[in-house]
Every structure is written in structure tokens, then in C-alpha cells.
Amino acid sequence: MSFSPSLNRYASHMLTKKLPPLQSFLSRFSRHTSHLARQQYDVIVVGGGHAGTEAAAAAARVGAETLLVTQKIQTIGALSCNPSLGGVGKGHLVKEIDALDGLCGRAGDWAGIFFSILNRRKGPAVWGPRAQLDRQQYREFIQSELLSTPRLTVLEGSVEELLVSEPNPEEPGHHRVTGIHLANGSQPISASSVVLTTGTFLSGSLFMGQSTSPGGRIGDAPSSAGLSWTLRERLGLRTGRLRTGTPPRIVKDSVDLSLVEVHPPDSHPTPFSFLNKNIRCKEDAKGPRYCPSIESRVLRFPGRQHQVWLEPEGLTSDLLYPQGLSMTMPPDVQLRLIREIPGLHRAEIHTPGYGVQYDFVCPTQLSPALQVKSTQGLFLAGQINGTTGYEEAAAQGLWAGVNAARWALSMPAVALSRTESYIGVLIDDLVSRGVTEPYRMFTSRAEFRTSLRPDNADLRLTLKGFEEVGCVSALRYQEAVRVRDSLQDAMAALQALTLSTPIWRKKLPDMRMSENKNTLVNGMEVLQYNDVSFEMLASAFPECLSSHKEFAQRIKIEAVYRPHCQLQKKEIERIQKEENMSLPQDIDYFSLPVSLSQEVREILDRVRPTTLGAATRLQGITPAAIVHLLNYVRHRGQEERRTHRQQPEKREEREEELAARNASLPQ
Amino acid sequence: MLPSMYRGLWRAAVHTLRASKGNPPSRFLSTCNGVSSGLADAETIFALSSGHGRCGVAVVRVSGPASATALSCMTGLTRSLPAPRTALLRSITDPQSKEVLDRGLVLWFPAPHSFTGEDSLELHIHGGPAVITAVLQALGSVPGMRPAEAGEFTRRAFQAGKLGLTEVEGLGDLIHAETEAQRRQALRQMSGELGRLYQDWSHKLKRCLAHVEAFIDFSEDELIEDGVLNQVDRSVCDLQAEMERHLKDERRGERLRSGVQVVIAGATNAGKSSLLNTLCQRPAAIVSPIAGTTRDVVETALDIGGFPVLLSDTAGLRDSPDLVEREGVRRARERVEQADLTLVVVDSAHLPSDAQKAATILQGHLRSVLPTQEQPKTVFSADRFLLVLNKTDLLPEEQRLKLHRELRLVSGLPPVSLISCHTNKGLQDFLTVLHSSVKTLCGDPLSGAPTLTQARHRAHLQQCFAALAQYQRYRDIDLALAAEGVRLALTSLGRITGRVGAEEILDIIFKDFCIGK
């Protein structure tokens, strides 16, 4: 085995924006329950990682009085593994979280040391915005943001127990969350919703070499066993076990930097957030995938070359993060291995790598709102659902927080479709298929990749986030509306620009337009040509186009992708309609008076799909079964309408029947 | 084929519910001022609606907005459409070559008063295969027309709200029957050379897509070199060339077997080959008293009462240490699985004289022949199995009569025929039973319909070919759009060979590349 290391250069520029002084904030926060302002909240979020912070912030944005409980306020927003955010697929998630007014996009822009767009040459639909982060600055941003969020209280403490009501005798197995009990608190804290984002801490155990110890992250206390017990024994949730790991951290000064390849940053850094127009810092690093353990890679792919990225841990840190070297061997073996790598022959390990084994709750037991189906008001997000990665956790956290708040405020649950977002793909994959290994986002998981691009996340989600979900601020909404209107104006102007091919050729001499054509072509079509940019068109037709230059790149992307999105539109609409047909969660599939096989009844009873769309994606469900189910749902709908005495509907039905009788007969 | 059924069905189902649910506002910029969604189901479909086999009149049905165009350009009625629901005798011509294909009745059902609720057209033409093929091909050349998927007319009727609640209940059963018939038909085609070819293409395309996806999702972090794409380029190029040759080939590769598939199966030495020889009236298969004489499948084409039948004799089912014979038994089982009708041959001399006991033994024979994954309840359906008790010349006459009399009273058995291939006694009765089964099967438009499936395959292959061109067009400009081309190609081919999911692609990625997990 050989290694080809690359070193990221780190930035010399310090960020100049001032954060509010953190210590003054911290002092305002009580660290003991006795100082707690109240004993009752709408939403309690347990855990201060990427899922927990987004969940708490989102719940507060929706309007719920929210309490975030974490073991240490200091580690809120900690980057436990790699010091970077985004990438291919993951960057899509960050853009979508930002479009829904989440934290991590802005935090990444603030703490980014340098930025790059991965896959730059492969087409805008798969561009992967990514940034190397300063750990401390990221943490500070998240903490300061949370501490200044209205309706959000942060409390340091360890959750001893999850409080749930006895199941309703009418609905056996259906519990309701009532609150939590803290380890050293005398009084329980009550809430309508609880979001659990315990990451790797649920029955977590750390291991290195042969030795193991309980815990979810090195340096932090293990979480209470009570939570795990309640989930498994009291609520009867099925759990599984997963493992992950982190590489050793290397002392920067011990590395011979002259022997490694240096990768330069993008010259024009692109921010994650739709609210940020530019970035102050100017240098770049390339980065990691999700924590691959070096042992398993060598076992699976012997005799191949492996790539290791050396990434700075922060602007002021003297440590390097060797991306691609996650390992759990004894420390002396780790050191021997590291020193086999060119440039690292004298490297010193600051902290050895280690592995974590932890419990996850099989996510098929959740609804698309990330609520546990059998327990009202209990929401799960992040690694507890079997995913890996900051971005995956943050995305779930945001959506669980939104729905936890809506549940507490008696608003209906909201779902994101896989046809409109990667967050929807992530959640749908989790709740309808489950996981067998840590789930990570890839662009190839999204069927409608050409429509779900990083560039249009705001148009896909911000408007909906404000109008239907309530988790987006008015400021961001107004910006998204402005963007939408400007793009529409620009495209209307391009479409109005209809000229014959000879005239286009005269106006744009550099363009290679097919010679034999002599037809009318509009500006949108011309912009589809690879060698035509919006700037070229704007300088050729300044009177009608120059006012739209702000969105030159987005207009170009729209023009190229539009025909392909049109092709997908039909399929997207089909899926959206399927997803709109919900199956009641209280159906007794075994006594349903339709002809379904016992096997199909068992599958439906076990999985309890929330929509007919989800039912079609289940293995073992036959098309015939779907027809029967559909008929049942339709029939039920009609019954309900009859009880509501909507006469016109009935008349319409009669007319339909009459017309059917007049029709030619089936054979 | 199954996924496409889901899709069509869903579209239909969803459509009917739209009134109550409302349409979610589209959130895609690209659809903000897009095409009207009314075009979604604008395709016009056609199919042979009557049964296959030799018949006097064949009915071809057309449904959808292009029906009127098809009507006027194939019957020369350019000025005005005929009166609704009135039969009209016309010459039917090819719209391109203007060649007269047949003379037949034309019926016009304008929307909404038709079975599907759409503009519909029926052509009643002569039943010869050449005429039917020519008319179907001519319809296929009209713009906006495509061959119907199985059951699509019924689905459109469902969509238009033309089916009552009881009929919808029936639709579920119909779809079950269709999928079952399709499964058998697909198995049949997929075991042929053509099937292997499509599977091979599908496999190559999956690899191409996996490699492109790996390059998109992982090349920035892992050592995946640009060479991966060069491999894909070569594969796509080769595939395009192969498909082009295949589509141009007038013979279209292997001729799909037409006719009802009848398979003779049973234990060794029951007289299966003798039955084949008796039925085709020539010594097509070698017969001997030695058990295990027939080792491979012997096929012969027959005409049973005017219906085309492909009769196959198979090796006797037993566990044999002989490698050749074991392969024969494997092939025999494969044939039974693909069969429309199976003749289970039993040596009657080995049956006890008590009818109840004999029935138990016969059920054992049936089970041993049965494809493993079938449900027990379908075992005894008369339209899939016939029991043939052979060698009745070895039975005393009174026992033969007793079995004949009593076995038909036993419930749970398919029709039983007692024959002797030696003396031909009972053969005439057996032929009557066989004829009625084959007739039932031929009335089912799904059993052996080569023209229809071929036309559908061709349409999918053409889409696949066009999608590969998209890969090449965008290869160096936008890899996401290039990958979309390969995806579309695979989806089109998947409609012939079976669906491909995202997880399958990821599996290939992880198998082929050093990507950490």
C-alpha cells in the first residue's frame, strides 16, 4: 500500500467581522436547573450537535418556546470529526438548509478558511460547494447565533429520562411525550415535543485497539443509560448498532511539507448562504468523504493506492487532520502506519484515532416529519437515525425541529418531497427504506438531480419555507422573491429576443451555431450553446439585457437545464400526487375489507406507509394490492364527503356514471 | 414491465383523485411558465384487442387525441370524420406508402362516449397475421402513436372515471392476471437469445452509469481517474453501434416464438415422448422402454384446431447422478415455468384402483412438476394444467372405466384424460380437452403476441439509443446531463428487462472502486 498525501495551505487572513462577545452571553445562561426560567416548554431539544442546534433554532423560528439541553455549552456546534463543511451531495444539503434559514450555511461562510466548488467541471447540477473550517470560529458562530435566538433557552445538563404517558387503552402502544427529567434536577421539565439528537452517545462505546470504554466522543461523559432503556423497552423501538471513527490528529510542525502536493483554492470563493454575496478569506483546501476506516479499506481493496488529505484544523491550530486515515488500531501501530506515508516519516500524533460504536433507532419507525410513529411528540434526528455526516444531521435536525414546533403549536405536520429537495430524498430514503450502514448523501440518490441543483435551492425551498412552513424570516423571503422575479424578468426578456440564425451569427460571431439552420431562435435557446454566456448576450443586446447581469450565472444554468427539467416534470408531478394521498395511520390492515393477501397485509402492517406513494416503493407490494388500497382510500374519501353533505360532488358522480353507461362497451 | 404498469396505473389513479386533493403548486422555476400540463397523457395508444391465433376478424383499437388523425390518414376520410358509432366499410391504407393493407370496418367513437373516455377508433380487419402486423406497423408510423402497454385501455377507462366501483375491484384481479401472464411472457423471452442480448446491454449500461456516478460523486476525494470516463465512452459507443445494427436488422435477430407454449412433463418413462409423437403424428422424439431416454427439450410446432401450438417434450423429472440428465431436468423445469399449459403425464398402470388414493398420488405428481415459486392454490387451475393418464392399454377395462368415472368427481384436480399412446384409445377425447384449453388461452390477448411486444421493444430501444446520444452530446460540457442520458437509456431498456434502482448503481460503485465505508 502506498499513500499520496496532499497538503492544504491555510489562510493567513483573519476574519474581521466581530461576533458578539461570547462570554457575556454564556454568563447570562444558567447552568443549573434552579436558574431555569420555566419548567414548561413547547419543544425540548436534547443534544447540541449539528442536528440539535438546527432543530432548536428551527423550532424557535417557527414560534415555539424551545429549550436546548446539552452536556456542555462549550461543545455546542463542535466539529467532532473533519474540519470542513459541504462537498458533493453534502453541499446540496447545506444550500437547502440555508434556503430554509438554517444555521450551518452562514456558520460555514463565517468560519470558512477557504472555499472551493468541487466538481466544477462536471456541470452545475453536481457542483459541490465546500469549505475548510476553523473549528473554534464555527463553534463560536453557532453558539452566538443560538444564544441570540428569541424564544430559545440553552441549558447545560444531562438528560436522565424521557417522560412519556402511559399508552391510551384505546390505541395500544401509542404513547405521548410529556417531557424530560435531568440527571440532577429535582423537577421534571415538561414539553409537548422532544427532539432527540444524541448522535453517537446512545449506548456509545469508544474503542482503540483492544480497549473499549463507554462514551460518544473522546473527552465527553457517556450519556445516561435511562434514555436508551426508555426508547427500547418502554417505547418498544427497534434499534441497531453502527460504528464510525476518526483519524489521529497530527502535529503540523512534525510534517515535512516539502514532500507533499499542495492544492490551491478557488480564486473566487463562493459562499454557502444565499444571503452572503462574498467571502472575505481567500484560500482553499480540498477535503474528505465520510470517515472511512483505513483498516476496512485495505481489507476490501488490497494492493491499491490510497489518497490522504492533510487539512488544517483551524487558522490558529497547530494540528493537521489526515482525511482518509480513520483508524482504531492501538496508538503505537497508528504511529508506525502514519510514518510510512511520504512527508509524514517523522510525524507526531497529538491525539490517536478511535472508533465509536453506538445505537441507532431503525428509521422506518419514523414518519416523514421525523416523528416516532408510535409516540406522539417524539422526534429523532441525526446519527440516531443511522446517518453519518454533519450535513445529513443538520438537515434532519432542521426538519425535526420544524415539525416538533408545529406539533407543539397544534399545526399540521409538513413534509418535503424527494422531488423538490435533497432533504426530502434523505428523509424518504430513511423512513421508507431504512439503513443497513451509515447513510450518506450522494447526488446519485436523487432521481431528479437536474432539477435539484445547489443554485436553485432558494427558489425550491425559501418561498415554501416562508409561506407554508413558517421557518424562514421575512428578510430572507423578500430576497428570494426578488431573485425569483428578477430571473423571470430576465428569462422573459431572453425569450422575447427572437431572431433568425443569420442575425444571431452576426451579433455573436464567436458562437458556433449550426450553419445549415435558418430558423427563428430565441435568446434562451441561444444561451443553451456551450460557448455562449449571458455576459456575451448582454453586451450584444445591452438595452434589454444589461439590467439582469446580477444573475448571469443562474440564468445561464436555467437556460441549459430547462429542457431537461421539463422532461422530468411529468414524473415529478406523478410522484407528488402519490405523496399527497395519505394512508390513515390507524388502519387495521388485517381486517381491511378488501382482497389483499396475508403477506401484503403483514408488510403493510409492519411498515405502515404514510402515503400511497411510499406503499408503492415497498418490496413485496403488488400492483393489484395498490389498486385495492387506492380504491379503499378513494372510497373512504367519498364517504367522508357524503357525511359533509357536499351535494355538487354527488351530482357529478351521477353524471359520470350516466356517461359511462352511454359509452361503448368494454370487450 | 411491472414498474411501467405501476406508473400507468398511478397516473390513472391519481388523476381521478385530483378533484378532491387539488394540485400542489409547482415550485420549480423551470416550470413556472412552462408547457401546459394537459399534454401529460397526450399519447395515443393502439393494440390488437381480439385474441391471437387464426380467427376470421381481428379488432384493432386506438385511443387518444391522435385517433382522428390515424382515422383520416389510414382510411382516406380527409374531409370529414364518419358519424359516431356507425360502422363504415373502407379500404385501410398505409399512411406513408399509400398501399392498401386490407378492407374492413371502421368505427369512430368521439370523446367522451367511448370505453376509455378519449377519442377512440376501432378497425375490424381480416384476421391473418400478415394483415394484423401490417396494420399495427402502419399505426405505429402515425406521429404521436405508440403500442399500448398491457391493460392500458382499461387503465385509461379507470382514469376517465368510466369504471364503476365493482369494476375497479375487478381491475385489481385483472392486473394480477396481467402481471402473471407478463411474467411468464417475459421469462420466455428472457431465456431466448434476444433476452440474453438485452440483459447484456442492460448490464453494460448499469456499469457505465455506475462509473459516471462514481466519477461525479467521488472523484474529488478518491483516486478515481479520468480513465474511467474513457472506458464509459468506449462502452457507450459500442452499445450505440450494436443497437443501431439491431434496430436496422429486418429479421430483428431471433424470431420470437409465437403460439401457445404447451409443455409435456412428468416422471420418467410415463410416455411423454410417445404422447408428443402421437400428437404430431410422426416419430419426432426417440422413445424406448429405458427410463431417462429424453434428455433435452424436443420442440415441435402443431396446429390444434386452428390454433398455433408449440409443443415441447422434456426429460422425465427425477434426481439423477448423470450430469447430462440433470441438465435435462433443469431445462424441463425451466420450460414448465415458461409454459402457458402443462400436460402432466402419469403412467396409469402404477395407480391404485381406489380413486381417492389415486387422486392423492396424482396431486403428488402435479406438485413435483409445479414451478417452485407458484402458490399451491393455482396448482389445479384447468387453464394451466391437464392431467394425462397414459398406458391405459395395460389396465383391465373395468379399472380404466372406474378411474375415468370416479376421477372426474374428485375435486381439486385439473381435467383428467385417460389415453393409450399405444392403441390411441381416448386420444380423440383428449384432443377435445386440449383444444378447448388452447382456445381459452388464445382468447387471452397476452399469450404469445410477438408483433405487439416486438413493436413495444422497438420503441423502447429507440428511446434508449436516443438517450445515449445525449451522453455523447454532454460528455465534455456537463457530466450531470451526460449521466442523465445514461440514466434515461437504462430506464428505457429497463422497461424491457426490469427496473434498475439507485441502490443497485451504488452497489456497483462500491464494488468497483476503492471508496471507504
Side-chain angles (χ1 to χ4, degrees):
Chain A
M1 185 174 64
S2 61
F3 293 96
S4 56
S6 325
L7 178 78
N8 300 307
R9 255 197 269 152
Y10 12 91
S12 49
H13 303 269
M14 285 296 291
L15 290 165
T16 49
K17 178 184 160 186
K18 277 291 226 195
L19 277 177
L22 198 62
Q23 281 314 315
S24 67
F25 265 105
L26 285 179
S27 61
R28 268 177 42 203
F29 282 94
S30 44
R31 299 193 174 194
H32 306 284
T33 36
S34 54
H35 295 173
L36 204 56
R38 47 208 289 171
Q39 293 297 329
Q40 168 150 22
Y41 288 86
D42 293 325
V43 176
I44 297 175
V45 177
V46 181
H50 300 273
T53 50
E54 293 289 355
R61 283 202 305 279
V62 172
E65 277 301 331
T66 306
L67 175 71
L68 173 68
V69 182
T70 179
Q71 288 195 349
K72 272 192 234 163
I73 288 182
Q74 287 294 323
T75 57
I76 287 180
L79 302 161
S80 315
C81 200
N82 50 310
S84 63
L85 187 74
V88 182
K90 287 167 175 280
H92 290 70
L93 286 173
V94 176
K95 295 293 275 191
E96 292 187 356
I97 293 164
D98 182 68
L100 290 167
D101 229 353
L103 311 175
C104 69
R106 283 176 295 130
D109 285 344
W110 168 253
I113 299 174
F114 28 62
F115 293 77
S116 64
I117 287 191
L118 307 187
N119 274 350
R120 175 71 88 174
R121 289 177 304 136
K122 291 175 199 153
V126 295
W127 282 354
R130 185 180 184 280
Q132 204 64 47
L133 303 178
D134 181 284
R135 286 180 191 281
Q136 197 185 333
Q137 288 186 4
Y138 189 86
R139 213 164 50 217
E140 282 170 7
F141 183 93
I142 294 278
Q143 289 175 11
S144 118
E145 188 76 18
L146 286 185
L147 301 182
S148 59
T149 301
R151 287 184 294 274
L152 177 60
T153 312
V154 181
L155 174 72
E156 202 165 76
S158 177
V159 175
E160 180 75 37
E161 213 181 328
L162 181 68
L163 302 175
V164 290
S165 70
E166 285 308 315
N168 182 347
E170 307 272 304
E171 296 174 277
H174 277 250
H175 297 263
R176 193 167 50 79
V177 151
T178 57
I180 56 164
H181 208 287
L182 291 179
N184 42 14
S186 49
Q187 296 275 319
I189 309 174
S190 62
S192 311
S193 308
V194 172
V195 187
L196 292 183
T197 66
T198 51
T200 56
F201 281 81
L202 204 62
S203 305
S205 106
L206 304 171
F207 59 95
M208 189 194 299
Q210 297 297 315
S211 65
T212 62
S213 58
R217 177 170 52 206
I218 225 150
D220 286 325
S223 73
S224 125
L227 205 54
S228 192
W229 182 86
T230 311
L231 292 181
R232 251 199 316 261
E233 306 300 329
R234 187 92 195 278
L235 303 179
L237 295 177
R238 274 175 288 120
T239 59
R241 217 152 161 75
L242 287 174
R243 54 187 290 175
T244 184
T246 195
R249 308 299 197 268
I250 295 172
V251 178
K252 194 167 72 192
D253 292 341
S254 66
V255 177
D256 185 350
L257 299 178
S258 65
L259 294 176
V260 300
E261 198 184 316
V262 176
H263 282 254
D266 280 3
S267 48
H268 300 288
T270 315
F272 286 113
S273 178
F274 288 100
L275 294 183
N276 291 340
K277 297 288 169 250
N278 44 47
I279 297 285
R280 291 195 54 83
C281 36
K282 293 289 176 275
E283 292 197 38
D284 175 37
K286 294 209 177 183
R289 270 178 41 83
Y290 71 124
C291 311
S293 153
I294 193 75
E295 296 100 319
S296 60
R297 303 177 77 187
V298 175
L299 287 176
R300 286 176 53 187
F301 303 99
R304 296 217 192 163
Q305 211 182 47
H306 298 273
Q307 185 164 285
V308 175
W309 298 95
L310 299 177
E311 299 170 348
E313 288 261 300
L315 283 171
T316 52
S317 170
D318 50 6
L319 299 182
L320 289 176
Y321 178 94
Q323 175 58 44
L325 275 183
S326 176
M327 54 176 80
T328 61
M329 297 165 285
D332 56 317
V333 184
Q334 292 191 16
L335 188 65
R336 267 172 52 208
L337 191 149
I338 294 250
R339 288 188 173 177
E340 292 293 320
I341 302 171
L344 300 184
H345 50 280
R346 277 196 300 274
E348 290 299 337
I349 289 181
H350 177 269
T351 322
Y354 62 94
V356 191
Q357 274 196 334
Y358 56 97
D359 279 355
F360 74 99
V361 174
C362 300
T364 49
Q365 300 166 105
L366 306 179
S367 75
L370 294 174
Q371 179 170 203
V372 175
K373 287 184 200 168
S374 64
T375 310
Q376 298 179 347
L378 179 60
F379 296 79
L380 307 180
Q383 276 170 305
I384 194 172
N385 291 339
T387 61
T388 179
Y390 305 153
E391 302 81 357
E392 288 83 353
Q396 292 171 69
L398 185 146
W399 206 241
V402 160
N403 276 295
R406 292 179 66 91
W407 172 263
L409 303 174
S410 304
M411 285 154 41
V414 281
L416 279 177
S417 161
R418 63 186 300 128
T419 61
E420 66 188 338
S421 63
Y422 275 73
I423 303 180
V425 171
L426 167 73
I427 294 175
D428 186 50
D429 280 352
L430 289 178
V431 304
S432 52
R433 291 192 199 149
V435 296
T436 48
E437 57 191 342
Y439 181 100
R440 183 210 163 174
M441 185 47 73
F442 305 119
T443 66
S444 50
R445 294 194 193 272
E447 296 89 335
F448 305 109
R449 185 165 62 189
T450 45
S451 305
L452 311 185
R453 303 186 305 269
D455 66 271
N456 66 7
D458 53 345
L459 297 180
R460 289 186 280 121
L461 297 173
T462 304
L463 305 176
K464 174 180 180 163
F466 181 81
E467 289 159 5
E468 296 171 37
V469 182
C471 65
V472 171
S473 67
L475 177 83
R476 186 183 285 270
Y477 175 68
Q478 281 151 12
E479 171 65 8
V481 168
R482 185 184 75 87
V483 170
R484 181 195 62 192
D485 294 347
S486 312
L487 283 175
Q488 271 171 357
D489 289 351
M491 284 188 288
L494 280 168
Q495 245 149 4
L497 201 62
T498 302
L499 303 167
S500 71
T501 34
I503 298 184
W504 277 115
R505 272 196 291 272
K506 213 157 82 193
K507 283 278 192 181
L508 301 166
D510 296 340
M511 180 177 62
R512 281 172 300 171
M513 194 180 251
S514 346
E515 286 300 316
N516 47 3
K517 269 195 210 157
N518 189 357
T519 43
L520 286 177
V521 181
N522 71 40
M524 282 293 274
E525 289 160 335
V526 170
L527 202 48
Q528 287 169 23
Y529 283 86
N530 193 36
D531 48 7
V532 177
S533 69
F534 184 79
E535 286 87 348
M536 281 165 67
L537 289 180
S539 51
F541 303 92
E543 63 290 350
C544 57
L545 294 181
S546 60
S547 59
H548 302 296
K549 267 160 126 176
E550 179 186 357
F551 298 109
Q553 190 182 51
R554 290 185 67 162
I555 297 166
K556 165 79 182 172
I557 296 174
E558 264 311 317
V560 172
Y561 275 80
R562 173 180 281 231
H564 303 275
C565 296
Q566 295 283 10
L567 283 177
Q568 289 189 336
K569 200 180 127 192
K570 204 164 112 183
E571 185 73 1
I572 287 176
E573 282 173 358
R574 178 185 68 82
I575 291 187
Q576 282 181 344
K577 284 174 198 159
E578 283 176 17
E579 285 172 345
N580 277 351
M581 282 188 282
S582 57
L583 287 170
Q585 281 304 289
D586 54 353
I587 297 188
D588 180 0
Y589 285 107
F590 291 104
S591 65
L592 208 61
V594 294
S595 57
L596 293 174
S597 75
Q598 191 60 20
E599 191 197 346
V600 166
R601 285 175 196 270
E602 276 165 20
I603 296 171
L604 290 170
D605 182 64
R606 182 161 42 81
V607 184
R608 302 211 149 260
T610 41
T611 63
L612 274 161
T616 59
R617 287 192 284 274
L618 291 176
Q619 266 208 331
I621 299 294
T622 60
I626 294 295
V627 170
H628 286 305
L629 267 185
L630 166 72
N631 185 35
Y632 172 77
V633 172
R634 189 186 181 199
H635 198 64
R636 234 175 101 114
Q638 283 174 350
E639 293 277 295
E640 275 165 21
R641 255 179 280 143
R642 281 205 186 97
T643 51
H644 287 105
R645 296 182 185 284
Q646 286 189 357
Q647 291 303 322
E649 292 275 351
K650 273 175 89 174
R651 199 174 310 127
E652 203 172 276
E653 267 164 44
R654 263 203 305 279
E655 272 166 16
E656 228 174 71
E657 267 166 24
L658 222 74
R661 239 175 276 149
N662 291 338
S664 68
L665 287 171
Q667 282 186 338
Chain B
M1 268 169 256
L2 279 182
S4 65
M5 294 211 41
Y6 272 122
R7 203 165 301 137
L9 183 65
W10 271 106
R11 201 176 301 140
V14 167
H15 192 87
T16 51
L17 281 188
R18 197 155 56 189
S20 59
K21 282 289 180 186
N23 215 347
S26 179
R27 280 171 290 274
F28 293 88
L29 179 71
S30 20
T31 58
C32 284
N33 37 11
V35 197
S36 89
S37 61
L39 282 171
D41 273 329
E43 288 169 312
T44 300
I45 53 171
F46 63 91
L48 178 63
S49 296
S50 51
H52 290 268
R54 219 169 279 172
C55 48
V57 175
V59 177
V60 173
R61 196 186 245 174
V62 180
S63 175
S67 297
T69 320
L71 174 62
S72 56
C73 71
M74 285 185 68
T75 60
L77 294 165
T78 43
R79 294 260 174 89
S80 64
L81 293 166
R85 299 179 293 281
T86 311
L88 191 64
L89 185 65
R90 296 292 301 183
S91 287
I92 293 162
T93 53
D94 187 305
Q96 250 92 59
S97 67
K98 306 294 174 204
E99 175 196 356
V100 175
L101 304 172
D102 194 20
R103 206 168 153 70
L105 293 180
V106 177
L107 283 116
W108 167 238
F109 302 93
H113 301 300
S114 69
F115 172 50
T116 55
E118 303 174 318
D119 280 351
S120 293
L121 167 68
E122 275 181 22
L123 301 171
H124 296 218
I125 52 176
H126 290 97
V131 173
I132 296 173
T133 310
V135 169
L136 289 179
Q137 278 181 352
L139 280 171
S141 70
V142 177
M145 305 270 284
R146 66 164 173 82
E149 303 275 339
E152 203 172 358
F153 285 97
T154 317
R155 281 199 297 274
R156 290 197 176 193
F158 180 58
Q159 166 177 358
K162 292 278 180 180
L163 300 183
L165 273 181
T166 34
E167 285 163 299
V168 177
E169 282 287 346
L171 182 64
D173 301 334
L174 172 78
I175 284 174
H176 179 71
E178 275 173 5
T179 47
E180 193 44 34
Q182 279 190 338
R183 190 185 64 80
R184 269 184 282 132
Q185 195 178 38
L187 272 173
R188 200 146 69 207
Q189 285 164 3
M190 286 307 122
S191 64
E193 249 175 72
L194 196 57
R196 273 194 293 278
L197 180 69
Y198 293 165
Q199 293 287 10
D200 177 52
W201 287 351
S202 169
H203 182 73
K204 283 182 184 156
L205 274 177
K206 269 184 240 170
R207 278 187 80 88
C208 286
L209 183 57
H211 287 203
V212 179
E213 295 292 3
F215 193 68
I216 288 174
D217 272 337
F218 303 110
S219 65
E220 293 278 354
D221 306 327
E222 307 283 341
L223 281 177
I224 294 177
E225 279 144 27
D226 292 26
V228 166
L229 281 192
N230 297 337
Q231 264 179 38
V232 175
D233 293 345
R234 273 195 299 278
S235 291
V236 168
C237 226
D238 292 351
L239 276 170
Q240 274 196 312
E242 268 186 68
M243 277 181 201
E244 199 168 14
R245 271 200 303 278
H246 181 77
L247 283 166
K248 270 189 189 152
D249 184 2
E250 279 307 310
R251 288 177 297 110
R252 290 168 206 166
E254 182 194 43
R255 270 197 61 175
L256 288 177
R257 301 185 193 102
S258 61
V260 180
Q261 307 266 316
V262 178
V263 172
I264 307 178
T268 50
N269 237 11
K272 296 180 293 300
S273 302
S274 299
L275 179 62
L276 176 94
N277 290 347
T278 307
L279 285 175
C280 67
Q281 294 168 312
R282 64 188 170 91
I286 303 167
V287 289
S288 84
I290 302 162
T293 304
T294 307
R295 293 177 158 208
D296 202 351
V297 178
V298 178
E299 273 185 1
T300 176
L302 284 182
D303 183 322
I304 305 274
F307 294 106
V309 163
L310 192 85
L311 187 66
S312 322
D313 178 26
T314 61
L317 301 172
R318 66 167 178 184
D319 289 328
S320 167
D322 184 324
L323 272 180
V324 180
E325 192 177 346
R326 241 191 290 167
E327 173 61 18
V329 171
R330 193 193 64 75
R331 289 183 184 190
R333 294 206 179 276
E334 193 179 270
R335 265 318 154 90
V336 171
E337 204 160 322
Q338 298 161 8
D340 291 315
L341 179 68
T342 305
L343 309 179
V344 181
V345 183
V346 178
D347 185 343
S348 64
H350 291 165
L351 288 177
S353 56
D354 179 76
Q356 273 305 334
K357 283 182 189 163
T360 316
I361 291 178
L362 288 175
Q363 278 169 341
H365 275 285
L366 279 168
R367 266 193 292 276
S368 71
V369 167
L370 203 71
T372 41
Q373 75 264 43
E374 296 224 358
Q375 296 289 316
K377 65 174 161 60
T378 62
V379 170
F380 310 121
S381 67
D383 51 348
R384 295 268 336 258
F385 292 91
L386 296 181
L387 262 174
V388 182
L389 307 191
N390 191 17
K391 305 192 190 178
T392 51
D393 52 306
L394 299 177
L395 293 182
E397 180 63 8
E398 76 239 42
Q399 196 190 332
R400 190 186 74 81
L401 287 172
K402 187 166 176 274
L403 278 176
H404 185 66
R405 212 173 38 243
E406 292 178 2
L407 276 178
R408 60 181 60 195
L409 300 176
V410 178
S411 64
L413 281 184
V416 180
S417 302
L418 286 92
I419 64 160
S420 161
C421 292
H422 189 60
T423 64
N424 281 358
K425 188 161 190 175
L427 186 66
Q428 208 48 53
D429 286 348
F430 168 64
L431 280 176
T432 313
V433 174
L434 182 61
H435 179 226
S436 87
S437 293
V438 169
K439 194 176 160 189
T440 317
L441 285 167
C442 276
D444 170 7
L446 289 161
S447 65
T451 329
L452 201 65
T453 45
Q454 261 185 341
R456 215 168 52 78
H457 286 186
R458 227 180 144 66
H460 293 318
L461 284 179
Q462 268 155 350
Q463 284 166 5
C464 179
F465 184 76
L468 287 179
Q470 181 178 331
Y471 170 81
Q472 284 168 330
R473 184 171 157 218
Y474 286 106
R475 157 71 166 79
D476 296 317
I477 305 173
D478 187 317
L479 205 56
L481 292 178
E484 194 63 25
V486 185
R487 269 196 206 204
L488 285 173
L490 194 53
T491 315
S492 304
L493 199 59
R495 301 195 77 180
I496 308 176
T497 60
R499 194 161 69 151
V500 189
E503 285 298 317
E504 201 178 333
I505 300 302
L506 286 174
D507 281 349
I508 298 180
I509 294 179
F510 287 119
K511 261 182 227 143
D512 283 11
F513 298 100
C514 170
I515 287 160
K517 288 230 96 178

